């Protein structure tokens, strides 16, 4: 969320930056409504002042005039409510402003590769995709999941279910014990205000699983733990001494994948329900860039310990998320596709989310300001599972367990 006063005072800056995000905004209409809103506020304040003066005189002859003024104030309140709603309907859809180092472009074609880590494996046998490996082992079941729940769901069984659980425990242990994140076990259901706070609503309403409750009790299944973890500081006033706050949670995540019809229909790459270990940081705004680099390195360490080849990519203005000011994706090598696929997305959101959540802190000079927020996958568990299955597959269809996971897998060597 942006400060409307800043937009009003720097129109050319915002026009360019919003255009860079591939968003067309009617600034003329926004400025017209803003001007009208401020004029009505001024009228209302004058009438309120006049009413106060009448009240102080205690002159009964002016009682009728006071009633007329009260009615005028009520009328102005109704107009203000309508005008504010119109302004919000524009401002709520304005994305965050990209930092200067973010490449400008319409889509992923303009992303910038930062580095590659690890050697892409070479196989001397015909490799299989993860879903074929899992089905041959009778440890992945898509057919039954389709019967029980619909498409884009899966049953993991036996040792693959154990591998999924082991990955979660492994990631949580690294992030809590090595990097100092506080583990949280959060609710998986949130209200509309919480979803608005991190930017999922109203723009991405069609992507969310909404629970069928009363209209005034709208609830949603979380699309990512970012939503609930970031809102831990909702409407809070912190002190700079309390910062940074770093949270980690492993949760199921739920997404309709409304805009992905026909994409990744085979296998587990794009599911309606999946597990993810999520990292969230709450910092002083000036520390966002440093914290983003730290968060990226935390996510990278998981891939490095699992010895999975990956690359990091700086996303363009047209490819990064609505609330982000800068995003770096980590993409893991998927042999069956002969390409890298996203496994983590680490973003700095600056003060964009904290404005929506009304989350502030007092700095060293006792000045109030909005907090800085960041989030990142540490990692997407399902995609990590896929990467291990495919990169560690053997000619006989078995899967070697990475050394880092053996202690979590009862010292099992292979599946």
């Amino acid at each position: 969320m942006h400060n409307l006063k800043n937009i009003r005072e720097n129109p050319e800056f915002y026009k360019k930056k919003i255009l860079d995000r591939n968003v067309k905004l009617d600034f003329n209409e926004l400025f017209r409504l803003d001007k009208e809103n401020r004029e009505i506020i001024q009228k209302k304040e004058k009438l309120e002042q006049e009413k106060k003066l009448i009240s102080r005189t205690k002159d009964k002859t002016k009682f009728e005039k006071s009633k007329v003024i009260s009615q005028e104030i009520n009328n102005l309140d109704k107009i203000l409510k309508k005008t504010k709603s119109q302004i919000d309907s524009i401002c709520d859809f304005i994305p965050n402003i990209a930092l200067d180092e973010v490449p400008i472009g319409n889509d992923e074609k303009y992303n910038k590769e930062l580095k590659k880590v690890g050697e892409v494996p070479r196989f001397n046998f015909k490799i299989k995709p993860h879903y074929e490996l899992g089905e041959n082992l009778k440890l992945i079941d898509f057919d039954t999941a389709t019967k029980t729940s619909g498409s884009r769901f899966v049953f993991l069984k036996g040792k693959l279910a154990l591998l999924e659980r082991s990955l979660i425990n492994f990631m949580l242990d690294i992030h809590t014990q090595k990097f100092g994140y506080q583990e949280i076990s959060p609710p998986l259901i949130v209200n509309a205000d919480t979803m608005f706070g991190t930017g999922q609503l109203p723009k991405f309403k069609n992507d969310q699983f909404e629970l069928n409750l009363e209209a005034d009790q709208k609830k949603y299944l979380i699309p990512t733990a970012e939503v609930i973890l970031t809102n831990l500081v909702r409407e809070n006033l912190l002190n700079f001494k309390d910062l940074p706050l770093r949270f980690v949670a492993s949760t199921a995540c739920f997404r309709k994948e409304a805009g992905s019809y026909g994409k990744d229909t085979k296998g587990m790459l794009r599911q309606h329900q999946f597990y993810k270990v999520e990292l969230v940081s709450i910092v002083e705004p000036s520390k966002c860039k440093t914290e983003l680099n730290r968060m990226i390195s935390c996510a990278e360490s998981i891939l490095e310990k699992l010895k999975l080849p990956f690359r990091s990519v700086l996303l363009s203005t047209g490819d990064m998320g609505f609330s982000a000011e800068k995003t770096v994706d980590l993409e893991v090598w998927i042999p069956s596709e002969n390409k890298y696929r996203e496994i983590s997305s680490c973003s700095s959101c600056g003060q964009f989310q904290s404005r929506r959540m009304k989350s502030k802190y007092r700095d060293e000079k006792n000045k109030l300001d909005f907090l800085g927020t960041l989030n990142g996958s540490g990692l997407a568990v399902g995609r990590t599972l896929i990467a291990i299955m495919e990169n560690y597959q053997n000619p006989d269809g078995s899967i070697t367990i990475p050394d880092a996971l053996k202690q979590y897998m009862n010292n099992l060597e292979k599946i």
Side-chain angles (χ1 to χ4, degrees):
M1 179 174 282
H2 301 286
N3 186 327
L4 191 50
K5 181 183 176 184
N6 290 342
I7 297 177
R8 186 168 63 241
E9 293 176 351
N10 304 280
E12 296 309 314
F13 171 81
Y14 278 90
K15 285 178 182 178
K16 181 187 181 304
K17 285 292 189 177
I18 298 302
L19 196 60
D20 287 346
R21 295 298 312 267
N22 281 351
V23 173
K24 292 181 180 179
L25 182 66
D26 190 343
F27 279 93
N28 291 333
E29 177 65 4
L30 179 60
F31 293 145
R32 183 190 70 76
L33 289 167
D34 178 43
K35 183 181 178 184
E36 180 183 316
N37 190 61
R38 286 182 289 124
E39 287 173 349
I40 296 169
I41 289 172
Q42 287 178 347
K43 286 180 184 177
K44 181 186 171 186
E45 288 174 347
K46 284 181 181 179
L47 288 171
E48 287 173 337
Q49 186 63 28
E50 186 177 352
K51 186 180 176 184
K52 279 183 181 178
L53 291 173
I54 291 172
S55 177
R56 285 173 187 166
T57 63
K58 298 181 181 180
D59 187 344
K60 292 181 180 180
T61 62
K62 294 182 179 180
F63 181 70
E64 285 301 318
K65 185 177 181 181
S66 181
K67 282 178 65 179
V68 171
I69 291 173
S70 293
Q71 186 57 50
E72 288 179 3
I73 290 171
N74 287 337
N75 291 338
L76 288 175
D77 276 334
K78 290 177 183 177
I79 297 170
L80 276 174
K81 187 177 180 181
K82 181 181 178 182
T83 307
K84 186 180 184 306
S85 177
Q86 291 174 309
I87 291 172
D88 288 345
S89 70
I90 296 174
C91 289
D92 289 351
F93 286 83
I94 301 176
N96 202 352
I97 299 298
L99 297 180
D100 290 341
E101 62 262 34
V102 174
I104 298 170
N106 297 332
D107 51 35
E108 67 277 2
K109 294 174 188 173
Y110 296 87
N111 294 348
K112 179 183 177 183
E113 182 178 285
L114 300 176
K115 66 178 179 180
K116 286 181 179 176
V117 177
E119 291 292 324
V120 170
R122 295 183 180 183
F123 299 91
N124 56 8
F125 58 91
K126 186 179 179 181
I127 60 172
K128 296 181 177 68
H130 69 280
Y131 48 86
E132 193 174 327
L133 287 163
E135 287 174 338
N136 289 346
L137 290 165
K138 294 183 169 47
L139 299 178
I140 284 182
D141 187 347
F142 293 103
D143 292 338
T144 305
T146 300
K147 293 174 188 175
T148 61
S149 307
S151 62
R152 296 191 188 273
F153 290 94
V154 66
F155 280 101
L156 294 182
K157 301 178 179 180
K159 291 172 184 175
L160 273 188
L162 173 60
L163 179 57
E164 180 182 61
R165 176 159 56 92
S166 298
L167 279 168
I168 291 170
N169 289 337
F170 166 68
M171 292 177 191
L172 287 174
D173 283 351
I174 296 297
H175 293 310
T176 55
Q177 296 171 19
K178 184 174 180 180
F179 299 122
Y181 285 86
Q182 180 185 6
E183 184 175 353
I184 305 290
S185 178
L188 303 184
I189 296 172
V190 295
N191 59 33
D193 288 341
T194 300
M195 293 283 275
F196 175 82
T198 43
Q200 275 69 28
L201 293 182
K203 185 173 176 62
F204 303 104
K205 188 177 188 300
N206 291 337
D207 287 325
Q208 313 309 326
F209 279 107
E210 183 178 339
L211 301 184
N212 190 17
L213 302 173
E214 297 297 325
D216 61 342
Q217 295 181 336
K218 284 188 176 180
K219 297 285 193 297
Y220 299 85
L221 296 174
I222 60 168
T224 165
E226 169 207 342
V227 173
I228 191 70
L229 293 180
T230 309
N231 273 276
L232 276 169
V233 296
R234 177 180 188 80
E235 296 174 6
N236 279 5
L237 175 58
L238 305 179
N239 190 284
F240 75 94
K241 293 179 182 178
D242 301 324
L243 304 174
L245 297 175
R246 297 186 178 112
F247 306 125
V248 61
S250 165
T251 67
C253 305
F254 306 89
R255 296 181 190 176
K256 283 186 179 178
E257 298 289 356
S260 64
Y261 181 78
K263 293 181 182 177
D264 302 319
T265 53
K266 282 190 173 182
M268 293 169 49
L269 270 165
R270 200 178 294 272
Q271 299 277 283
H272 289 312
Q273 175 186 314
F274 57 94
Y275 285 96
K276 185 153 65 81
V277 172
E278 185 74 2
L279 308 173
V280 162
S281 295
I282 312 295
V283 301
E284 295 177 74
S286 62
K287 306 286 178 63
C288 279
K289 286 188 179 182
T290 303
E291 186 68 17
L292 179 59
N293 291 334
R294 182 186 191 276
M295 182 177 283
I296 293 166
S297 69
C298 293
E300 286 178 341
S301 74
I302 301 295
L303 291 166
E304 288 167 352
K305 288 178 184 297
L306 294 174
K307 297 180 180 177
L308 291 170
F310 69 94
R311 69 172 187 165
S312 60
V313 178
L314 176 61
L315 300 195
S316 71
T317 53
D319 196 33
M320 67 183 187
F322 177 79
S323 298
E325 63 179 10
K326 181 180 179 180
T327 298
V328 172
D329 275 6
L330 302 182
E331 299 179 348
V332 70
W333 180 254
I334 303 297
S336 67
E337 297 192 357
N338 199 37
K339 65 180 179 182
Y340 293 94
R341 296 297 296 260
E342 179 199 335
I343 197 168
S344 172
S345 194
C346 298
S347 299
S348 169
C349 298
Q351 297 174 302
F352 185 83
Q353 292 177 327
S354 62
R355 288 183 184 278
R356 296 169 79 99
M357 297 186 302
K358 300 180 177 64
S359 306
K360 295 185 176 182
Y361 80 108
R362 290 189 186 277
D363 65 16
E364 294 181 70
K365 297 179 181 178
N366 210 34
K367 179 184 173 184
L368 284 178
D369 199 1
F370 289 99
L371 291 159
T373 67
L374 303 96
N375 62 81
S377 317
L379 305 163
V381 177
R383 292 196 173 193
T384 309
L385 183 75
I386 290 169
I388 289 172
M389 290 176 70
E390 294 202 8
N391 284 280
Y392 281 85
Q393 65 180 291
N394 301 305
D396 62 357
S398 65
I399 300 154
T400 299
I401 304 300
D403 290 339
L405 292 178
K406 285 178 182 176
Q407 62 175 310
Y408 296 88
M409 293 285 294
N410 304 317
N411 294 315
L412 194 69
E413 293 288 334
K414 292 181 182 179
I415 295 176

